[in-house]
Amino acid sequence: MPNAILELNRIIYQQINPEATTTLIFIGGIHGNEPAGILGLHRVIETIRNRDLTLHGNFYALAGNLNAIQKNIRYESTDLNRLWTHENIQKITTQATFNSQEEKELAELHQCINDILNTHSGPFIFIDLHTTSADTIPFVTISDSLKNRDFVSNFQLPIILGIEEYLEGPLLTYINEFGHVALGFEAGQHEEMQAIENCETFIWQTLVAAKVISKKTIEQLDVRLETFQTLDSNSNFYQISHRYQLEKEENFIMKPGFVNFDTIQKSEVLATSNSEAVKASVGGKIFMPLYQKQGDDGFFIITKISMFWLKLSSSIRKLRLHHVLRILPGVRKDKLNSNALFVNPKIAAFLTTKIFHLFGYRKKVLKANQWYFIKRD
Ligand SMILES: [Zn+2]
């Protein structure tokens, strides 16, 4: 990877327009071994500066894990993108000393995001730029809120819904809970030059989608605006059907040669765990196979979401039919959070997670006998 990042500030660049309300916040390098996001941002910022471009919106470019980026490691002691739970933030931002480098990074980044949210009225659009250890075409991950769906409809890319149910404490889930648009862009393989170029393209596309710059202006700039690849011309939406989570001390080796989105069959051998074969529990497409040492998701399997389901769930949510769920046996409202439900899976056994997804909720398992569902919209 060329262009080593030697010197870096938390705020890489900002352009504030006092008349604008739309505010775009790009974050690069929340994983320190993924510099493509920051390098892509640099390219866009350079063009904005050289061409003296005025944006019809506020634009912020932020750096994620400063320490890890400079050392070219994913993180020093904990993954900065797994710390964003309310309990953690409360603890970290009020304690006198930090227990790790990542706690310090979180406190700074949290402060920075808060300042932005307090300075502008919104709408706010957050874009978190990443790369993967396996080869991949670019794709987007979102929490399945109607606002997010609406914004991603501007892009021709595979869209993966609901990964946040499988991850504890990613930054975007925290942002989503304030009701802002938040999407993750995965630009390609960590070391590929193409990943930097894809980030640059996606940033320009986002600026156009958010209407802070016109497509016409960009076309005159001679910058990259090519369209990305999709997997299917009918529908770009996929859901996570399975996650393989690594245990502590597990010797996990992904079978070599998988490219993200390769089609796999049920029972196909995908990896070895402590020398034993790991087989696919369902058929579908392999998603984010792990080809690096750090990280605890071995792989995911994704399957396509039908247009029928997308339309049905959108109608149900617009009609605000989710109130119906609260009167069912085994379901009760969280008195502290009007957007959340406690569910006893034994009593409400007839309700599957799929139904809650349809109504726009995401699942969080509290204990074996209690599920917690939080509304995404
Ligand atoms: Zn990442």
Side-chain angles (χ1 to χ4, degrees):
M1 170 90 41
N3 320 346
I5 299 165
L6 296 171
E7 216 176 298
L8 198 59
N9 298 317
R10 179 74 57 199
I11 299 180
I12 304 168
Y13 176 78
Q14 63 181 46
Q15 187 182 123
I16 294 163
N17 181 340
E19 275 135 55
T21 55
T22 300
T23 302
L24 291 161
I25 302 103
F26 290 90
I27 301 139
I30 197 160
H31 289 135
N33 62 333
E34 301 176 9
I38 288 173
L39 298 170
L41 280 165
H42 276 166
R43 289 187 179 193
V44 173
I45 294 160
E46 202 176 86
T47 307
I48 291 175
R49 281 195 174 124
N50 292 345
R51 300 296 191 104
D52 211 5
L53 293 177
T54 303
L55 304 173
H56 307 289
N58 305 302
F59 175 100
Y60 290 88
L62 309 180
N65 197 334
L66 288 175
N67 166 64
I69 296 162
Q70 268 138 8
K71 293 179 179 164
N72 194 26
I73 49 173
R74 193 165 178 82
Y75 51 80
E76 185 92 51
S77 47
T78 40
D79 188 333
L80 181 57
N81 204 26
R82 299 288 182 274
L83 288 177
W84 297 81
T85 62
H86 288 281
E87 307 80 53
N88 251 331
I89 292 168
Q90 174 70 18
K91 195 194 92 193
I92 294 168
T93 54
T94 51
Q95 68 198 1
T97 53
F98 299 118
N99 297 313
S100 68
Q101 181 62 36
E102 274 75 26
E103 287 195 357
K104 180 174 173 279
E105 302 275 348
L106 178 131
E108 287 176 15
L109 192 54
H110 179 258
Q111 183 63 51
C112 186
I113 290 171
N114 261 357
D115 290 344
I116 295 169
L117 293 174
N118 292 330
T119 306
H120 309 287
S121 61
F124 296 97
I125 298 164
F126 285 82
I127 311 285
D128 196 12
L129 302 165
H130 288 262
T131 48
T132 57
S133 60
D135 274 330
T136 185
I137 57 166
F139 62 94
V140 163
T141 61
I142 55 166
S143 177
D144 183 21
S145 70
L146 294 183
K147 256 191 197 176
N148 278 345
R149 269 199 211 173
D150 192 43
F151 192 71
V152 295
S153 67
N154 288 297
F155 306 102
Q156 281 295 313
L157 281 164
I159 315 284
I160 290 78
L161 302 183
I163 192 170
E164 85 281 5
E165 270 187 346
Y166 296 86
L167 310 175
E168 178 77 2
L171 168 67
L172 290 185
T173 303
Y174 172 75
I175 302 286
N176 258 133
E177 281 179 23
F178 294 105
H180 307 310
V181 170
L183 44 123
F185 177 69
E186 299 277 354
Q189 207 278 340
H190 297 326
E191 280 94 34
E192 289 283 336
M193 269 300 288
Q194 185 66 44
I196 304 173
E197 286 162 15
N198 291 339
C199 279
E200 184 188 0
T201 303
F202 188 73
I203 296 162
W204 287 121
Q205 287 184 355
T206 306
L207 294 175
V208 173
K211 300 190 174 66
V212 306
I213 195 163
S214 71
K215 200 170 176 191
K216 221 175 129 194
T217 310
I218 296 194
E219 278 163 356
Q220 289 156 3
L221 293 175
D222 187 32
V223 295
R224 314 185 138 266
L225 250 195
E226 78 271 33
T227 37
F228 292 118
Q229 223 180 307
T230 52
L231 295 168
D232 190 300
S233 52
N234 297 317
S235 165
N236 295 328
F237 288 87
Y238 293 81
Q239 66 193 347
I240 311 264
S241 297
H242 177 80
R243 173 207 192 190
Y244 184 87
Q245 189 182 0
L246 267 62
E247 302 290 334
K248 276 212 165 73
E249 311 294 318
E250 176 176 342
N251 181 18
F252 175 86
I253 303 166
M254 195 72 214
K255 213 175 106 181
F258 280 115
V259 172
N260 205 25
F261 301 122
D262 273 351
T263 300
I264 51 154
Q265 309 300 327
K266 190 179 174 190
S267 305
E268 187 176 335
V269 175
L270 303 177
T272 57
S273 164
N274 302 328
S275 307
E276 280 189 35
V278 177
K279 291 179 184 172
S281 60
V282 286
K285 288 184 183 298
I286 193 119
F287 182 60
M288 301 225 273
L290 187 73
Y291 288 115
Q292 65 194 5
K293 287 231 159 58
Q294 285 177 308
D296 55 8
D297 303 312
F299 58 82
F300 296 88
I301 299 171
I302 59 169
T303 47
K304 210 163 130 180
I305 304 176
S306 70
M307 282 310 287
F308 172 75
W309 190 91
L310 287 168
K311 283 185 182 150
L312 178 67
S313 60
S314 163
S315 308
I316 286 174
R317 294 179 206 179
K318 282 180 186 153
L319 291 168
R320 306 186 64 76
L321 289 176
H322 61 279
H323 296 292
V324 175
L325 290 173
R326 291 185 201 155
I327 54 171
L328 296 170
V331 181
R332 69 184 166 87
K333 222 167 95 176
D334 179 357
K335 290 195 184 86
L336 301 172
N337 180 354
S338 61
N339 284 324
L341 301 169
F342 287 108
V343 178
N344 183 328
K346 281 185 194 136
I347 300 172
F350 57 96
L351 289 172
T352 64
T353 303
K354 280 196 176 119
I355 291 175
F356 286 95
H357 284 168
L358 196 65
F359 282 76
Y361 285 83
R362 71 180 174 88
K363 182 163 97 173
K364 194 175 165 185
V365 177
L366 296 177
K367 290 173 234 140
N369 60 352
Q370 193 167 56
W371 290 349
Y372 191 60
F373 285 89
I374 305 161
K375 202 153 183 349
R376 285 159 162 158
D377 292 290

